[in-house]
Structure formats: structure tokens, C-alpha cells
Coordinates of all heavy atoms in Angstrom, one line a residue:
M1 N -72.0 -11.9 65.8 CA -72.2 -12.9 64.9 C -71.0 -13.2 64.1 O -70.2 -12.4 63.8 CB -73.3 -12.3 63.9 CG -73.7 -13.3 62.9 SD -75.2 -12.8 62.0 CE -74.5 -12.0 60.5
L2 N -70.7 -14.4 64.0 CA -69.6 -15.0 63.3 C -69.9 -15.6 62.0 O -71.0 -16.1 61.8 CB -68.9 -16.0 64.1 CG -68.2 -15.7 65.5 CD1 -67.7 -17.0 66.2 CD2 -67.2 -14.7 65.2
I3 N -69.1 -15.3 61.0 CA -69.3 -15.8 59.7 C -68.1 -16.6 59.4 O -66.9 -16.2 59.5 CB -69.4 -14.7 58.6 CG1 -70.8 -14.0 58.9 CG2 -69.5 -15.4 57.2 CD1 -71.2 -12.9 57.9
S4 N -68.2 -17.9 58.9 CA -67.1 -18.8 58.7 C -66.7 -18.7 57.3 O -67.3 -19.3 56.4 CB -67.5 -20.3 59.1 OG -66.3 -21.0 58.9
C5 N -65.7 -17.9 57.0 CA -65.1 -17.7 55.6 C -64.5 -19.1 55.2 O -63.7 -19.6 56.0 CB -64.2 -16.5 55.6 SG -63.3 -16.4 54.1
P6 N -64.7 -19.5 54.0 CA -64.0 -20.7 53.6 C -62.6 -20.7 53.5 O -61.8 -21.7 53.7 CB -64.6 -20.9 52.1 CG -65.8 -20.2 52.0 CD -65.6 -19.0 53.0
H7 N -62.0 -19.5 53.4 CA -60.4 -19.3 53.4 C -59.9 -19.1 54.8 O -58.9 -19.6 55.2 CB -60.1 -18.2 52.5 CG -60.3 -18.4 51.0 ND1 -59.9 -19.5 50.3 CD2 -61.1 -17.7 50.2 CE1 -60.2 -19.4 49.0 NE2 -61.1 -18.4 49.0
C8 N -60.7 -18.2 55.6 CA -60.1 -17.7 56.8 C -60.6 -18.4 58.1 O -60.1 -18.1 59.1 CB -60.2 -16.2 56.9 SG -59.8 -15.3 55.4
G9 N -61.7 -19.1 58.0 CA -62.4 -19.6 59.3 C -63.3 -18.6 59.8 O -63.7 -17.6 59.3
P10 N -63.9 -18.9 61.0 CA -64.8 -18.1 61.7 C -64.2 -16.6 61.9 O -63.1 -16.5 62.5 CB -65.0 -18.7 63.0 CG -64.6 -20.2 62.8 CD -63.5 -20.1 61.8
R11 N -64.8 -15.6 61.6 CA -64.5 -14.2 61.7 C -65.7 -13.4 62.1 O -66.8 -13.7 61.8 CB -63.9 -13.6 60.4 CG -62.6 -14.3 60.0 CD -61.5 -13.9 60.9 NE -60.2 -14.2 60.4 CZ -59.6 -15.3 60.6 NH1 -60.0 -16.1 61.4 NH2 -58.4 -15.5 60.1
D12 N -65.5 -12.2 62.8 CA -66.5 -11.4 63.3 C -67.2 -10.7 62.1 O -66.6 -10.4 61.0 CB -66.0 -10.3 64.2 CG -67.0 -9.6 64.9 OD1 -67.7 -10.0 65.8 OD2 -67.4 -8.4 64.4
L13 N -68.5 -10.5 62.3 CA -69.3 -9.8 61.2 C -68.7 -8.5 60.8 O -68.8 -8.1 59.6 CB -70.7 -9.5 61.8 CG -71.7 -8.7 60.9 CD1 -72.0 -9.4 59.7 CD2 -72.9 -8.4 61.7
A14 N -68.0 -7.8 61.6 CA -67.4 -6.5 61.3 C -66.5 -6.6 60.1 O -66.2 -5.6 59.4 CB -66.7 -5.9 62.5
E15 N -65.9 -7.7 59.8 CA -64.9 -8.0 58.8 C -65.7 -8.1 57.4 O -65.0 -8.1 56.3 CB -64.1 -9.2 58.9 CG -63.1 -9.0 60.1 CD -62.1 -10.1 60.3 OE1 -62.0 -11.0 59.3 OE2 -61.5 -10.2 61.3
F16 N -67.0 -8.2 57.4 CA -67.7 -8.5 56.1 C -68.6 -7.3 55.8 O -69.0 -6.6 56.6 CB -68.5 -9.8 56.4 CG -67.8 -11.0 56.7 CD1 -67.3 -11.3 57.9 CD2 -67.5 -11.9 55.6 CE1 -66.6 -12.5 58.2 CE2 -66.8 -13.1 55.8 CZ -66.4 -13.3 57.1
S17 N -68.8 -7.2 54.4 CA -69.7 -6.2 54.0 C -70.8 -6.9 53.2 O -70.5 -7.8 52.4 CB -69.0 -5.1 53.2 OG -68.5 -5.7 52.1
Y18 N -72.1 -6.5 53.4 CA -73.2 -7.0 52.7 C -73.1 -6.6 51.2 O -72.9 -5.3 51.0 CB -74.5 -6.6 53.3 CG -75.7 -7.0 52.7 CD1 -76.1 -8.3 52.8 CD2 -76.6 -6.1 52.0 CE1 -77.4 -8.8 52.2 CE2 -77.8 -6.6 51.4 CZ -78.1 -7.8 51.5 OH -79.3 -8.3 50.9
Q19 N -73.3 -7.4 50.2 CA -73.2 -7.0 48.9 C -74.6 -7.1 48.1 O -74.6 -6.8 47.0 CB -72.3 -7.9 48.1 CG -70.8 -7.8 48.8 CD -70.2 -6.4 48.4 OE1 -70.1 -6.1 47.3 NE2 -69.8 -5.7 49.5
G20 N -75.6 -7.7 48.8 CA -76.8 -7.7 48.2 C -77.6 -9.0 48.1 O -77.1 -10.0 48.5
D21 N -78.8 -9.0 47.6 CA -79.6 -10.1 47.5 C -79.1 -11.0 46.4 O -79.0 -10.5 45.3 CB -81.1 -9.6 47.3 CG -82.1 -10.6 47.2 OD1 -81.8 -11.9 47.1 OD2 -83.3 -10.3 47.2
A22 N -78.9 -12.2 46.6 CA -78.5 -13.2 45.6 C -79.6 -13.8 44.8 O -79.3 -14.6 44.0 CB -77.5 -14.3 46.3
T23 N -80.8 -13.4 45.1 CA -81.9 -14.2 44.4 C -82.4 -13.3 43.2 O -83.2 -13.8 42.4 CB -83.0 -14.5 45.3 OG1 -83.6 -13.2 45.8 CG2 -82.6 -15.3 46.5
R24 N -81.9 -12.1 43.1 CA -82.4 -11.2 42.2 C -81.8 -11.5 40.6 O -80.6 -11.8 40.6 CB -82.2 -9.8 42.4 CG -82.8 -9.4 43.8 CD -82.6 -8.1 44.3 NE -83.0 -7.0 43.4 CZ -84.2 -6.6 43.3 NH1 -85.2 -7.2 44.1 NH2 -84.6 -5.7 42.5
T25 N -82.6 -11.4 39.6 CA -82.0 -11.7 38.3 C -82.1 -10.3 37.6 O -83.2 -9.6 37.4 CB -82.9 -12.6 37.6 OG1 -82.9 -13.8 38.3 CG2 -82.4 -12.9 36.3
R26 N -80.9 -9.9 37.1 CA -80.8 -8.6 36.4 C -81.4 -8.7 35.0 O -81.1 -9.6 34.4 CB -79.4 -8.2 36.3 CG -79.1 -6.9 35.7 CD -77.6 -6.5 35.6 NE -77.5 -5.3 34.9 CZ -76.8 -4.3 35.4 NH1 -76.1 -4.4 36.5 NH2 -76.6 -3.2 34.8
P27 N -82.3 -7.8 34.6 CA -82.7 -7.8 33.1 C -81.5 -7.6 32.1 O -80.4 -7.3 32.5 CB -83.6 -6.5 33.0 CG -83.8 -6.2 34.4 CD -82.8 -6.6 35.2
E28 N -81.8 -8.2 31.0 CA -80.7 -8.0 29.9 C -80.4 -6.6 29.8 O -81.2 -5.7 29.8 CB -81.3 -8.5 28.5 CG -81.6 -10.1 28.4 CD -80.2 -10.8 28.6 OE1 -79.1 -10.3 28.0 OE2 -80.1 -11.7 29.4
P29 N -79.0 -6.2 29.6 CA -78.6 -4.9 29.6 C -79.3 -4.1 28.4 O -79.6 -2.8 28.6 CB -77.1 -5.0 29.3 CG -76.8 -6.4 29.9 CD -78.0 -7.2 29.6
A30 N -79.7 -4.7 27.3 CA -80.3 -3.9 26.3 C -81.8 -3.9 26.3 O -82.4 -3.3 25.6 CB -79.9 -4.6 24.9
S31 N -82.3 -4.4 27.5 CA -83.7 -4.4 27.6 C -84.2 -3.1 27.8 O -83.8 -2.3 28.6 CB -84.1 -5.3 28.7 OG -85.5 -5.2 29.0
T32 N -85.4 -2.8 27.2 CA -86.1 -1.5 27.4 C -87.4 -1.6 28.2 O -88.2 -0.7 28.2 CB -86.4 -0.8 26.0 OG1 -87.3 -1.8 25.3 CG2 -85.2 -0.6 25.3
D33 N -87.5 -2.8 28.8 CA -88.7 -3.0 29.6 C -88.5 -2.4 30.9 O -87.9 -2.7 31.9 CB -88.9 -4.6 30.0 CG -90.0 -4.9 30.7 OD1 -90.7 -4.1 31.2 OD2 -90.2 -6.2 30.8
T34 N -89.2 -1.1 31.0 CA -89.0 -0.2 32.2 C -89.6 -0.8 33.4 O -89.0 -0.6 34.5 CB -89.6 1.1 31.9 OG1 -91.0 1.0 31.6 CG2 -88.9 1.9 30.8
K35 N -90.6 -1.6 33.4 CA -91.1 -2.2 34.5 C -90.2 -3.2 35.1 O -89.9 -3.3 36.3 CB -92.4 -3.0 34.2 CG -93.0 -3.8 35.4 CD -94.4 -3.8 35.6 CE -95.0 -4.6 36.7 NZ -94.1 -4.8 37.8
A36 N -89.5 -4.0 34.2 CA -88.5 -5.0 34.8 C -87.4 -4.3 35.4 O -86.9 -4.7 36.4 CB -88.0 -5.9 33.6
W37 N -86.9 -3.1 34.8 CA -85.8 -2.4 35.4 C -86.2 -1.7 36.7 O -85.5 -1.7 37.7 CB -85.3 -1.4 34.4 CG -84.3 -2.0 33.4 CD1 -84.5 -2.2 32.1 CD2 -83.0 -2.4 33.7 NE1 -83.4 -2.8 31.5 CE2 -82.4 -3.0 32.5 CE3 -82.2 -2.4 34.8 CZ2 -81.2 -3.5 32.4 CZ3 -80.9 -3.0 34.7 CH2 -80.4 -3.5 33.6
H38 N -87.4 -1.2 36.7 CA -87.9 -0.6 37.9 C -88.0 -1.6 39.1 O -87.5 -1.4 40.1 CB -89.3 0.1 37.7 CG -89.9 0.7 38.9 ND1 -90.6 -0.1 39.9 CD2 -89.8 2.0 39.3 CE1 -91.0 0.8 40.8 NE2 -90.5 2.0 40.5
D39 N -88.5 -2.8 38.7 CA -88.6 -3.8 39.8 C -87.3 -4.2 40.3 O -87.1 -4.5 41.4 CB -89.5 -5.0 39.3 CG -90.9 -4.7 39.1 OD1 -91.4 -3.6 39.7 OD2 -91.6 -5.5 38.5
Y40 N -86.3 -4.4 39.3 CA -85.0 -4.8 39.6 C -84.3 -3.8 40.6 O -83.6 -4.2 41.5 CB -84.1 -5.0 38.4 CG -82.7 -5.5 38.7 CD1 -82.4 -6.7 39.1 CD2 -81.7 -4.5 38.5 CE1 -81.1 -7.0 39.4 CE2 -80.4 -4.8 38.8 CZ -80.0 -6.1 39.3 OH -78.7 -6.4 39.6
V41 N -84.5 -2.5 40.2 CA -83.7 -1.5 41.1 C -84.4 -1.1 42.3 O -83.7 -0.9 43.4 CB -83.5 -0.3 40.1 CG1 -82.9 1.0 40.9 CG2 -82.7 -0.5 38.9
Y42 N -85.8 -1.0 42.3 CA -86.4 -0.4 43.4 C -87.3 -1.3 44.3 O -87.5 -1.1 45.4 CB -87.3 0.7 43.0 CG -86.5 1.9 42.4 CD1 -86.6 2.1 41.0 CD2 -85.7 2.7 43.0 CE1 -85.9 3.2 40.4 CE2 -85.1 3.7 42.5 CZ -85.1 4.0 41.2 OH -84.4 5.0 40.7
T43 N -87.9 -2.4 43.7 CA -88.7 -3.3 44.4 C -87.9 -4.4 45.3 O -87.1 -5.1 44.7 CB -89.7 -4.1 43.5 OG1 -90.3 -3.0 42.7 CG2 -90.6 -4.9 44.3
R44 N -87.9 -4.2 46.5 CA -87.2 -5.2 47.4 C -88.0 -6.1 48.2 O -89.0 -5.6 48.9 CB -86.3 -4.3 48.5 CG -85.3 -3.4 47.7 CD -84.1 -4.3 47.3 NE -83.1 -3.4 46.7 CZ -82.5 -3.4 45.5 NH1 -83.1 -4.4 44.8 NH2 -81.7 -2.6 45.1
P45 N -87.9 -7.5 48.0 CA -88.6 -8.3 48.9 C -88.1 -8.1 50.4 O -87.0 -7.7 50.6 CB -88.4 -9.6 48.3 CG -87.0 -9.5 47.7 CD -86.9 -8.1 47.3
N46 N -89.0 -8.5 51.3 CA -88.6 -8.5 52.6 C -88.9 -9.9 53.3 O -89.8 -10.0 54.1 CB -89.3 -7.4 53.4 CG -88.8 -7.3 54.9 OD1 -87.6 -7.7 55.2 ND2 -89.7 -6.7 55.7
P47 N -88.0 -10.9 52.9 CA -88.4 -12.2 53.3 C -88.1 -12.5 54.8 O -87.2 -12.0 55.5 CB -87.2 -13.1 52.5 CG -86.2 -12.2 52.3 CD -86.8 -10.8 52.1
A48 N -88.8 -13.4 55.3 CA -88.8 -13.9 56.7 C -88.3 -15.3 56.7 O -89.1 -16.2 56.2 CB -90.1 -13.7 57.5
G49 N -87.0 -15.6 57.1 CA -86.6 -16.9 57.1 C -85.2 -17.0 56.3 O -84.6 -16.0 56.1
P50 N -84.9 -18.2 55.8 CA -83.6 -18.3 55.1 C -83.6 -17.4 53.9 O -84.6 -17.4 53.1 CB -83.6 -19.8 54.7 CG -84.5 -20.4 55.7 CD -85.6 -19.5 56.0
H51 N -82.5 -16.8 53.7 CA -82.3 -15.9 52.6 C -81.0 -16.0 51.9 O -80.0 -16.0 52.8 CB -82.8 -14.4 53.0 CG -82.8 -13.5 51.9 ND1 -82.0 -12.4 51.7 CD2 -83.7 -13.5 50.7 CE1 -82.2 -11.7 50.6 NE2 -83.3 -12.3 50.1
H52 N -80.8 -16.0 50.6 CA -79.5 -16.1 50.0 C -78.9 -14.6 49.7 O -79.7 -13.9 49.2 CB -79.8 -16.8 48.7 CG -80.0 -18.2 48.7 ND1 -81.3 -18.6 49.0 CD2 -79.2 -19.4 48.6 CE1 -81.3 -20.1 49.1 NE2 -80.1 -20.5 48.8
E53 N -77.8 -14.4 50.2 CA -77.2 -13.1 50.1 C -75.7 -13.1 49.7 O -75.0 -14.1 50.0 CB -77.2 -12.5 51.5 CG -78.7 -12.3 52.1 CD -78.7 -11.9 53.5 OE1 -77.7 -12.3 54.3 OE2 -79.7 -11.3 54.0
Y54 N -75.3 -12.1 49.1 CA -73.9 -12.0 48.7 C -73.2 -11.1 49.8 O -73.8 -10.1 50.2 CB -73.7 -11.2 47.3 CG -74.1 -12.2 46.1 CD1 -75.0 -11.7 45.3 CD2 -73.4 -13.3 45.9 CE1 -75.4 -12.5 44.2 CE2 -73.7 -14.1 44.8 CZ -74.7 -13.6 44.0 OH -75.1 -14.5 42.9
W55 N -72.1 -11.6 50.2 CA -71.3 -10.9 51.2 C -69.8 -10.9 50.8 O -69.5 -11.7 49.9 CB -71.3 -11.5 52.6 CG -72.6 -11.4 53.3 CD1 -73.8 -12.0 53.1 CD2 -72.9 -10.5 54.5 NE1 -74.8 -11.6 53.9 CE2 -74.2 -10.7 54.8 CE3 -72.1 -9.6 55.2 CZ2 -74.8 -10.1 55.9 CZ3 -72.7 -9.0 56.3 CH2 -74.0 -9.2 56.5
Q56 N -69.0 -9.9 51.2 CA -67.6 -9.9 50.9 C -66.8 -10.0 52.1 O -67.2 -9.1 53.1 CB -67.2 -8.8 50.0 CG -65.7 -8.8 49.6 CD -65.3 -7.6 48.8 OE1 -65.9 -6.6 48.8 NE2 -64.2 -7.7 48.1
H57 N -65.8 -10.7 52.2 CA -64.9 -10.7 53.4 C -63.9 -9.5 53.2 O -62.7 -9.7 52.9 CB -64.2 -12.0 53.5 CG -63.5 -12.2 54.9 ND1 -62.7 -13.1 55.2 CD2 -63.6 -11.3 56.0 CE1 -62.2 -13.0 56.4 NE2 -62.8 -11.9 56.9
A58 N -64.4 -8.3 53.3 CA -63.7 -7.1 52.9 C -62.5 -6.8 53.9 O -61.5 -6.3 53.5 CB -64.6 -5.9 52.9
G59 N -62.7 -7.4 55.2 CA -61.5 -7.1 56.0 C -60.6 -8.3 56.2 O -59.8 -8.4 57.1
G60 N -60.7 -9.2 55.2 CA -59.8 -10.4 55.3 C -59.3 -10.7 53.8 O -58.7 -9.9 53.2
C61 N -59.7 -11.8 53.3 CA -59.2 -12.3 52.1 C -59.9 -11.7 50.8 O -59.6 -11.9 49.6 CB -59.3 -13.9 52.0 SG -61.1 -14.4 52.0
R62 N -61.0 -10.9 51.1 CA -61.8 -10.1 50.1 C -62.5 -11.0 49.1 O -63.1 -10.6 48.2 CB -60.9 -9.1 49.2 CG -60.0 -8.2 50.1 CD -59.4 -7.1 49.4 NE -60.3 -6.3 48.8 CZ -61.1 -5.4 49.4 NH1 -61.0 -5.2 50.7 NH2 -61.9 -4.5 48.7
A63 N -62.7 -12.3 49.6 CA -63.5 -13.1 48.8 C -65.0 -12.8 48.8 O -65.5 -12.3 49.8 CB -63.4 -14.6 49.3
H64 N -65.7 -13.0 47.6 CA -67.2 -12.9 47.6 C -67.7 -14.1 48.0 O -67.4 -15.2 47.5 CB -67.5 -12.3 46.2 CG -67.1 -11.0 45.9 ND1 -67.8 -10.0 46.2 CD2 -65.9 -10.6 45.4 CE1 -67.2 -8.8 45.8 NE2 -65.9 -9.2 45.4
L65 N -68.8 -14.0 48.9 CA -69.4 -15.3 49.4 C -70.8 -15.3 49.2 O -71.6 -14.2 49.0 CB -69.2 -15.4 50.9 CG -67.7 -15.2 51.4 CD1 -67.7 -15.0 52.8 CD2 -66.9 -16.3 50.9
L66 N -71.3 -16.5 49.1 CA -72.9 -16.6 49.0 C -73.2 -17.3 50.3 O -72.9 -18.4 50.6 CB -73.3 -17.6 47.8 CG -74.7 -17.9 47.8 CD1 -75.6 -16.6 47.5 CD2 -75.1 -18.9 46.7
I67 N -74.1 -16.5 51.1 CA -74.5 -16.9 52.4 C -75.9 -17.1 52.5 O -76.6 -16.2 51.9 CB -73.9 -15.9 53.4 CG1 -72.4 -15.9 53.5 CG2 -74.5 -16.1 54.8 CD1 -71.8 -14.8 54.4
V68 N -76.3 -18.2 53.1 CA -77.7 -18.4 53.4 C -77.9 -18.1 54.9 O -77.4 -18.7 55.8 CB -78.2 -19.9 53.1 CG1 -79.7 -20.0 53.5 CG2 -77.9 -20.2 51.7
R69 N -78.6 -17.0 55.2 CA -78.8 -16.5 56.5 C -80.3 -16.3 56.8 O -81.1 -15.9 56.0 CB -78.2 -15.0 56.6 CG -78.4 -14.3 57.9 CD -77.7 -13.0 57.9 NE -78.3 -12.1 57.1 CZ -79.4 -11.3 57.3 NH1 -79.9 -11.4 58.6 NH2 -80.0 -10.5 56.4
D70 N -80.7 -16.7 57.9 CA -82.0 -16.7 58.4 C -82.3 -15.2 58.9 O -81.6 -14.8 59.8 CB -82.4 -17.6 59.6 CG -83.9 -17.7 59.9 OD1 -84.5 -16.6 60.1 OD2 -84.3 -18.9 59.9
T71 N -83.2 -14.5 58.2 CA -83.4 -13.1 58.5 C -84.2 -12.9 59.9 O -84.2 -11.8 60.3 CB -84.3 -12.4 57.4 OG1 -85.5 -13.0 57.3 CG2 -83.5 -12.4 56.1
L72 N -84.7 -14.0 60.4 CA -85.4 -13.8 61.7 C -84.3 -14.0 62.9 O -84.4 -13.4 63.9 CB -86.6 -14.7 61.8 CG -87.7 -14.6 60.8 CD1 -88.7 -15.7 61.0 CD2 -88.3 -13.2 61.0
S73 N -83.6 -15.0 62.7 CA -82.6 -15.4 63.8 C -81.2 -15.0 63.6 O -80.3 -15.1 64.5 CB -82.7 -17.0 64.0 OG -82.2 -17.6 63.0
H74 N -80.9 -14.6 62.3 CA -79.6 -14.3 61.9 C -78.6 -15.5 61.9 O -77.4 -15.4 61.8 CB -78.9 -13.1 62.6 CG -79.7 -11.9 62.5 ND1 -79.8 -11.1 61.4 CD2 -80.4 -11.2 63.5 CE1 -80.6 -10.1 61.5 NE2 -81.0 -10.1 62.8
E75 N -79.2 -16.7 62.0 CA -78.4 -17.9 62.0 C -77.8 -18.1 60.6 O -78.6 -17.9 59.6 CB -79.3 -19.1 62.4 CG -78.5 -20.4 62.3 CD -79.4 -21.7 62.6 OE1 -80.5 -21.4 62.9 OE2 -78.9 -22.7 62.5
I76 N -76.6 -18.3 60.5 CA -75.9 -18.7 59.1 C -76.2 -20.2 58.8 O -75.8 -21.0 59.5 CB -74.4 -18.4 59.2 CG1 -74.2 -16.9 59.6 CG2 -73.9 -18.7 57.8 CD1 -74.6 -15.9 58.6
H77 N -76.8 -20.5 57.7 CA -77.0 -21.9 57.4 C -76.0 -22.4 56.5 O -75.6 -23.6 56.6 CB -78.4 -22.0 56.6 CG -79.6 -21.7 57.5 ND1 -80.1 -22.6 58.5 CD2 -80.5 -20.7 57.6 CE1 -81.1 -22.1 59.1 NE2 -81.3 -20.9 58.6
S78 N -75.4 -21.6 55.6 CA -74.3 -22.1 54.8 C -73.5 -21.0 54.3 O -74.0 -19.8 54.1 CB -74.9 -23.0 53.6 OG -75.5 -22.1 52.7
V79 N -72.2 -21.2 53.9 CA -71.3 -20.2 53.3 C -70.6 -20.9 52.3 O -70.1 -22.1 52.5 CB -70.3 -19.7 54.4 CG1 -69.4 -18.7 53.8 CG2 -71.0 -19.1 55.6
A80 N -70.6 -20.3 51.0 CA -69.8 -20.9 49.9 C -69.2 -19.7 49.2 O -69.6 -18.5 49.3 CB -70.7 -21.7 49.1
L81 N -68.2 -20.0 48.5 CA -67.6 -19.0 47.6 C -68.6 -18.7 46.5 O -69.3 -19.5 45.9 CB -66.2 -19.4 46.9 CG -65.1 -19.7 48.0 CD1 -63.9 -20.3 47.2 CD2 -64.7 -18.4 48.6
A82 N -68.8 -17.4 46.2 CA -69.8 -16.9 45.2 C -69.6 -17.6 43.9 O -70.4 -17.9 43.1 CB -70.0 -15.4 45.1
R83 N -68.2 -17.6 43.5 CA -68.0 -18.2 42.2 C -68.2 -19.6 41.9 O -68.3 -20.0 40.8 CB -66.5 -17.8 41.8 CG -65.5 -18.5 42.7 CD -64.0 -18.3 42.2 NE -63.2 -19.1 43.0 CZ -62.3 -18.6 43.8 NH1 -62.1 -17.3 43.9 NH2 -61.5 -19.3 44.6
S84 N -68.3 -20.4 43.0 CA -68.5 -21.8 42.9 C -70.0 -22.2 43.3 O -70.2 -23.4 43.4 CB -67.5 -22.5 43.7 OG -67.6 -22.3 45.1
A85 N -70.9 -21.3 43.5 CA -72.3 -21.7 43.9 C -73.2 -20.7 43.2 O -72.8 -19.6 42.9 CB -72.4 -21.4 45.5
N86 N -74.4 -21.2 43.1 CA -75.4 -20.3 42.5 C -76.3 -19.9 43.6 O -76.3 -20.2 44.7 CB -76.1 -20.9 41.3 CG -76.8 -22.2 41.7 OD1 -77.3 -22.3 42.8 ND2 -76.8 -23.3 40.8
A87 N -77.4 -19.0 43.2 CA -78.3 -18.5 44.1 C -79.1 -19.5 44.9 O -79.5 -19.4 46.1 CB -79.2 -17.5 43.6
S88 N -79.2 -20.7 44.4 CA -80.0 -21.8 45.0 C -79.2 -22.4 46.1 O -79.6 -23.3 46.9 CB -80.6 -22.7 44.1 OG -79.4 -23.5 43.5
G89 N -77.8 -22.1 46.2 CA -76.9 -22.7 47.1 C -76.2 -23.9 46.7 O -75.3 -24.5 47.3
A90 N -76.6 -24.3 45.5 CA -76.0 -25.5 44.9 C -74.6 -25.2 44.2 O -74.5 -24.1 43.6 CB -76.9 -26.1 43.8
R91 N -73.7 -26.0 44.5 CA -72.4 -25.7 43.8 C -72.4 -26.1 42.4 O -73.0 -27.0 41.9 CB -71.3 -26.6 44.5 CG -71.1 -26.1 45.9 CD -69.8 -26.7 46.6 NE -69.6 -26.1 47.8 CZ -68.6 -25.3 48.1 NH1 -67.9 -24.9 47.3 NH2 -68.6 -24.7 49.3
A92 N -71.7 -25.2 41.6 CA -71.7 -25.5 40.1 C -70.7 -26.4 39.8 O -69.7 -26.8 40.5 CB -71.4 -24.1 39.4
Ligands
ZN101 ZN1 -61.9 -14.8 54.2

């Protein structure tokens, strides 16, 4: 599988590391809502289809990326720098 880094171009998957689900919202740090924290830490969705994920080009420019990847086919729909895009894929 190739991921096209915005800085480096198409690179092999082995150069990237998965950083997590980009759709999750962390509770406020001072929140004492244990259910919200439990859900944030332990409850993981298992979506089928396009999914927003954070990846890092650890073996290259080390940029953090927001990637939309189809979890069924592993097709990459879009790649953007994480700092310039939000979880919906729209650029800020
Ligand atoms: Zn790169």
C-alpha cells in the first residue's frame, strides 16, 4: 500500500505509523465524567468504509497526516497535513 505524503510523494506503508482515530473527541481535561472518559479510552468503533485516521510519516519527513482510508478496501481517499485539516477532512 502506498501513501502519498504531501511533502515526500508516494511512499510505502512501512514508512508510516498509525496514530489513531481522528474522529474521537477528548473530554475536557478537568472533566470528572467517568463514562465520557471510559468511552474515550476504551470504547472503539469498528467502522466499515471511509474512516478518518491520523498517521505519521515516521520514516520520512515526520509530518502528522489526516488520512481518509476505506477500512474495507484500504483505498486511500485523501491525505492532508493534520495541522491544516480537521477530522471532517475540510481544510481550516
Ligand atoms: Zn513525508
Side-chain angles (χ1 to χ4, degrees):
M1 184 166 90
L2 293 178
I3 296 176
S4 187
C5 174
H7 294 298
C8 309
R11 295 288 194 263
D12 189 79
L13 173 66
E15 293 186 10
F16 295 83
S17 65
Y18 179 74
Q19 298 291 303
D21 183 345
T23 62
R24 303 174 62 77
T25 303
R26 184 182 177 126
E28 289 296 319
S31 172
T32 58
D33 183 348
T34 55
K35 171 142 181 24
W37 279 107
H38 180 275
D39 289 346
Y40 176 74
V41 174
Y42 296 109
T43 305
R44 298 280 184 240
N46 189 18
H51 190 242
H52 292 77
E53 302 169 333
Y54 289 120
W55 288 74
Q56 184 184 20
H57 192 187
C61 64
R62 305 194 61 77
H64 290 269
L65 308 173
L66 177 64
I67 292 178
V68 179
R69 179 182 64 91
D70 192 308
T71 59
L72 297 175
S73 66
H74 298 293
E75 178 184 358
I76 304 290
H77 293 287
S78 68
V79 179
L81 295 174
R83 67 173 180 247
S84 63
N86 61 34
S88 68
R91 292 191 174 253

